[in-house]
């Protein structure tokens, strides 16, 4: 099939970018979207132009590196799919495709479709962990965790940290991303001792990093390639409310 | 205090004050509907309210506080969210969000503007002095004739239009608001959220229809 | 030279305990004086950096991705082994040790494997403490599944994303240390050289992938945990950025490359769809727990819809050839059997390079829901890529390069022959011998990172003066100049072929000649072809852009340049190893019924290759392997 691409090109973080139009000819429907871009890039290189820079790594939908907004939708039109797992059979001959980077103040564009997502790491560093030491921990079966709890935690833990939720959010809020980790650790007994500290620190980091506030649009859930539910945001809110209750130790 | 600074804290404040305001418009609606019972309905209702004396002022202060919090944080969050999204996409697409959710700050400001007008109209009564209750004769039971003031006002098509526009804005505003609070207060467990959202939207529409019915039915002289 | 792995002497059961007791320690208040560089942030690197940081060392950690959470350990799906024996089915540290040595076809160092098996249990405890949501049963206990090459259920898992969850666990520990400022993270930074001063590793030279700046970092020790090199085949299940570069640069500075020919071909990958394919997608081999592998008995049936082929016209070849292990036969055996079936013209699907993996019997036995619960994400992934529904129609699978058992030579302390250079995880050669068992890579990565390196690095550090060499040393300057010269050269060639075209050429040739089955002729052909492709690369590659900028073409070109040198050592090693063992199958060395023939008398050694110059035959050093606890036996899974 033959397609027309409109791709965001931007030389560097300080430069102004714009959409450029490229033809993509003779694309096989078995190709993945990124393989289609590889083809276009090979053509650009041969004609002496700079290829389109885009983030990608595992190409199997788990590393969370790929990040493109395709026709207004993060990761493209196939639900529950990262760009690297999106296949060209989703498109038809003659389609026009707009490809843009994640857009948010906290995700400055570095070049073309590549953005800086360090802010997500900073949110994690604020408290996305259980402070256990290496070694000296209990036997794994000493803590019984009911299957529904383990499943709930796993549902939240499936987040790949790609940032599609932020790219889709009209407020550029990182609430779904943050809530997935807060909910995972708050549900598990291991995470409870630090639950109060964690939710306060991580939600503070959201604002410090320049993300917006959640106003319940739920675009995040719809755009998430892993189907992370907004119920985890409710869980985060609940955890936040708990911090306002006095504890038995009076703290 | 963290509550007033935190992203979640302010969201919870918005939900709680919003809920209280929904409580207010619920009571207000019941009072308003007494207009359909004729002068004996609404005039008696107004008289009872006035009889509360200082309590009215306590109530008004609470309302002022609720509005102040709701509006201040609403606008503040809106400005922060704007700042967090400096650039827009060449192709803008919404997946599941609603027009209502996207226009909260605007519908909110319309409601604020309307609120001021509404107070000037029916409480301070200076926009239409000729038909304000203070200038009208008392009714048969020696009460302020609120009924006549209301019906005469809503025989004016322009005033009706203002009220309808405002009530549409209110409907849109609570359309998102009422469906959101379960989520914001952390009571949603996922599956329950869809039901709450659906019910919330229905309630919002019902409120909107009921509120709009009053000026519209009066204008059309269906209720006299 | 005969190499010494420095494995502790005495009974293997006590080797690790004795080692830990005998080793020198670094005084807690002295630890902060040492700076350790960790390259790679996957299971081994991430866990190692976090653990060393927590102990009090100053750690700098580097990864080429934009976040340490994206290291390719994240791609592992199936699970992680441990000798917990929770199901009481006869497992023990000894059995895990034995299975690993046997699974590796008796080409690994006994003491290293024992240590791995011993600490395997600590790993599970550690991960649970971090909040890794392992699968649980309804009573709340950890659940296990079985995996290829084992007759016990010892694999812990988190749905089909165990690697992701373990990596996120290590990432959380790392994040905590970054917050505590014991670890400084350098994302989007690629190591391009090892700096060796007077024969000792003293730092690295890196390229900032965002700005293109070449930077120097000194360290009292350098730890490489940079993963695998099977992207030498171009198409593999590795991430696009996975490369041999870090360990090859170390090899060029004198570190020995051990057993590079031991590559693992994973049996359950999605077949190739066409020429534009950029990578292969693996589906966890846990699928083989419930799926039955077959091909049609008659070549004429291959084009038919699988449901039209009756049971008696199907050849469930693994069940037929290996009745006791059946579909759970080890990876090398399973992969080679699939190749044999396709070579015999019995393959299915486009290009006829595929075999069926059929879930019909399992669905009839336990219901589709149960199968979906176990492998739902894999079925979804399969459908996205192939447009076929695996519940309704058997999946098509084919082997793909997946893992390398070979890597830099290290001694028992994970230290290479260059003092101060330590190598962890897939990047070293140590525990998997000639073949790795399923769910053992995650185990090794975390064992090395959490429980081995924090102990084994101490004696070295205790023996040196911290901070003796810094970035102002002339070796650092020289290293920066060398890298800048190479980058400028790459940008100036301005030829006609793109990096990916040349990589594809190398990969296709390597897959044909040095892939699943190797022969004297194919290897000699490879050794002739590699320098040709390398010459073409250096004369005809086209790399656009600038060196002082974000330039992905330049990154890829540098990686390919290293593959083009490394491929030769790999082929040399395969040519030298005149036997078939594990992942290395020489067609000249097989039994009449096609089984691998090992030659313990002549090849029971680790082949460690010393770089002697590009295009120059590397020099072979041997570390003889001694088996004291396990009796050498023909590896049979019948």
């Amino acid at each position: 099939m033959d397609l027309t691409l409109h791709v965001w090109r931007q030389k560097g973080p300080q430069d102004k970018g714009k959409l450029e139009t490229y033809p993509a000819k003779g694309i096989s429907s078995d190709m993945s979207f990124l393989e289609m871009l590889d083809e276009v890039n090979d053509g650009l290189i041969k004609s002496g132009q700079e290829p389109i820079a885009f983030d990608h790594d595992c190409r199997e939908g788990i590393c969370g590196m790929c990040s493109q907004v395709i026709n207004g939708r993060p990761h493209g039109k196939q639900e529950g799919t990262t760009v690297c797992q999106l296949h060209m059979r989703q498109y038809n001959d003659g389609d026009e495709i707009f490809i843009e980077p994640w857009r948010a103040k906290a995700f400055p564009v570095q070049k073309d479709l590549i953005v800086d997502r360090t802010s997500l790491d900073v949110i994690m560093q604020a408290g996305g962990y259980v402070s256990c030491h290496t070694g000296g921990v209990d036997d794994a079966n000493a803590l019984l965790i009911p299957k529904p709890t383990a499943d709930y935690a796993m549902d939240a833990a499936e987040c790949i940290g790609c940032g599609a939720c932020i790219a889709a959010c009209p407020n550029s809020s990182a609430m779904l991303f943050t809530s997935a980790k807060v909910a995972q650790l708050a549900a598990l007994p291991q995470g409870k001792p630090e639950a109060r500290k964690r939710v306060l620190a991580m939600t503070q980091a959201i604002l410090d990093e320049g993300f917006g506030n959640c106003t319940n649009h739920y675009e995040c859930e719809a755009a998430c390639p892993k189907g992370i539910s907004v119920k985890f945001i409710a869980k985060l809110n609940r955890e936040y409310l708990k911090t306002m209750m006095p504890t038995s130790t009076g703290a | 205090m963290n509550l007033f600074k935190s992203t979640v804290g302010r969201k919870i404040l918005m939900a709680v004050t919003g809920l209280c305001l929904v409580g207010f418009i619920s009571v207000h609606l019941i009072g308003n509907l007494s207009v359909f019972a004729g002068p004996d309905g609404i005039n008696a209702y107004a008289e009872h309210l006035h009889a509360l004396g200082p309590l009215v002022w306590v109530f008004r202060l609470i309302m002022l506080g609720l509005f102040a919090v709701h509006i201040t944080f609403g606008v503040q969050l809106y400005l922060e969210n704007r700042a967090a999204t400096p650039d827009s996409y060449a192709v803008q697409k919404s997946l599941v969000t609603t027009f209502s959710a996207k226009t909260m700050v605007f519908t909110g400001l319309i409601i604020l503007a309307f609120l001021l007008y509404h107070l000037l109209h029916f409480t301070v009564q200076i926009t239409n002095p000729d038909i304000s209750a203070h200038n009208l004769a008392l009714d048969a039971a020696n009460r302020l004739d609120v009924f006549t003031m209301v019906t005469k006002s809503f025989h004016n098509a322009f005033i009706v239009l203002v009220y309808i526009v405002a009530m549409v804005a209110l409907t849109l505003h609570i359309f998102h608001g009422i469906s959101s609070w379960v989520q914001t207060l952390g009571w949603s467990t996922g599956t329950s959220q869809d039901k709450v959202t659906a019910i919330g939207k229905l309630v919002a529409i019902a409120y909107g229809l009921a509120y709009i019915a009053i000026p519209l039915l009066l204008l059309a002289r269906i209720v006299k | 030279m005969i190499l010494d792995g420095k494995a502790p002497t005495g009974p293997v059961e006590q080797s690790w305990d004795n080692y830990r007791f005998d080793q020198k320690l670094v005084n807690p208040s002295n630890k902060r004086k040492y700076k350790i560089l960790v390259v790679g942030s996957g299971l081994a690197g991430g866990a190692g950096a976090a653990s060393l940081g927590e102990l009090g060392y100053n750690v700098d950690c580097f990864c080429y991705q934009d976040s340490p959470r994206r290291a390719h350990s994240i791609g592992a799906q199936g699970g992680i082994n441990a000798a917990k024996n929770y199901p009481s089915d006869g497992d023990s540290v000894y059995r895990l040790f034995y299975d690993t040595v046997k699974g590796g076809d008796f080409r690994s160092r006994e003491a290293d494997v024992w240590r791995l098996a011993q600490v395997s249990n600590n790993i599970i405890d550690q991960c649970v403490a971090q909040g890794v949501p392992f699968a649980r049963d309804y009573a709340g206990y950890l659940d296990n599944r079985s995996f290829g090459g084992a007759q016990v259920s010892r694999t812990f898992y988190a749905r089909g994303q165990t690697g992701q969850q373990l990596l996120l666990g290590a990432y959380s520990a790392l994040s905590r240390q970054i917050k505590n400022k014991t670890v400084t993270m350098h994302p989007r930074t690629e190591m391009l050289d090892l700096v060796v001063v007077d024969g000792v590793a003293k730092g690295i030279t890196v390229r900032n992938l965002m700005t293109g700046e070449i930077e120097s970092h000194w360290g009292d020790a350098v730890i490489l945990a940079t993963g695998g090199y099977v992207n030498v085949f171009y198409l593999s299940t590795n991430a696009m950025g996975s490369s041999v570069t870090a360990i090859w640069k170390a090899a060029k500075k004198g570190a020995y490359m051990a057993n590079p020919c031991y590559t693992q071909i994973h049996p359950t990958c999605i077949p190739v769809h066409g020429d534009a394919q950029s990578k292969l997608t693996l589906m966890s081999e846990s699928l083989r727990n419930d799926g039955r592998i077959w091909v049609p008995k008659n070549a004429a049936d291959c084009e038919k819809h699988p449901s039209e082929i009756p049971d008696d016209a199907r050849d469930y070849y693994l069940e037929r050839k290996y009745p006791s292990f059946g579909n759970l036969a080890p990876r090398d055996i399973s992969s080679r059997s699939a190749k044999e079936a396709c070579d015999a013209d019995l393959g299915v699907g486009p290009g006829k390079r595929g075999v069926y993996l059929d879930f019909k019997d399992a669905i009839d036995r336990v219901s589709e829901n149960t199968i979906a619960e176990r492998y739902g994400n894999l079925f979804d992934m399969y459908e996205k890529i192939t447009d076929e529904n695996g519940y309704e129609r058997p999946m098509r699978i084919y082997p793909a390069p997946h893992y390398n058992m070979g890597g830099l030579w290290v001694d028992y302390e994970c230290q290479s022959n260059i003092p101060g250079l330590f190598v962890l995880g897939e990047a070293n050669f140590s525990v998997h011998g000639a073949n790795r068992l399923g769910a053992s890579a995650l185990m090794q990565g975390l064992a090395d990172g959490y429980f081995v390196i924090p102990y084994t690095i101490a004696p070295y550090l205790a023996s040196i003066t911290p901070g003796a060499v810094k970035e102002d040393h002339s070796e650092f300057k020289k290293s920066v100049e060398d890298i800048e010269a190479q980058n400028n050269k790459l940008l100036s060639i301005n030829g006609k072929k793109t990096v990916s075209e040349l990589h594809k050429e190398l990969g296709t040739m390597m897959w044909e000649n040095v892939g699943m089955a190797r022969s004297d002729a194919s290897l000699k052909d490879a050794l002739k072809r590699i320098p040709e492709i390398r010459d073409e690369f250096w004369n005809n590659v086209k790399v656009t852009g600038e060196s002082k900028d974000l330039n992905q073409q330049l990154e890829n070109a540098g990686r390919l340049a290293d593959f083009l040198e490394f491929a030769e050592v790999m082929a040399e090693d395969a040519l030298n190893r005149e036997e078939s063992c594990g992942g290395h199958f020489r067609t000249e060395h097989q039994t009449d019924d096609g089984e691998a023939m090992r030659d313990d008398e002549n090849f029971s050694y680790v082949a460690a290759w010393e770089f002697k110059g590009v295009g120059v035959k590397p020099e072979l050093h041997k570390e003889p392997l001694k088996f004291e606890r396990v009796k050498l036996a023909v590896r049979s899974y019948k």
Side-chain angles (χ1 to χ4, degrees), chain C residues 522-562:
Chain C
S522 77
L523 292 167
K524 285 184 173 148
D525 184 50
L527 285 169
K528 186 171 133 305
R529 294 276 295 121
I530 296 164
E532 289 169 10
I533 302 174
R534 189 166 61 223
D535 282 349
E536 166 149 42
F537 173 82
W538 283 107
N539 289 301
N540 197 28
V541 75
K542 187 173 182 92
V543 184
T544 55
E546 297 150 27
S547 64
K548 292 281 186 303
D549 188 13
L550 194 169
N551 188 340
Q552 294 176 313
Q553 290 306 306
L554 186 61
E555 294 166 26
N556 292 338
R559 291 168 195 159
L560 178 57
D562 292 326

Side-chain angles (χ1 to χ4, degrees), chain A residues 196 242-251:
Chain A
R196 284 177 172 238
K242 280 191 208 165
T243 66
M244 295 196 278
M245 312 292 165
T247 60
S248 55
T249 53

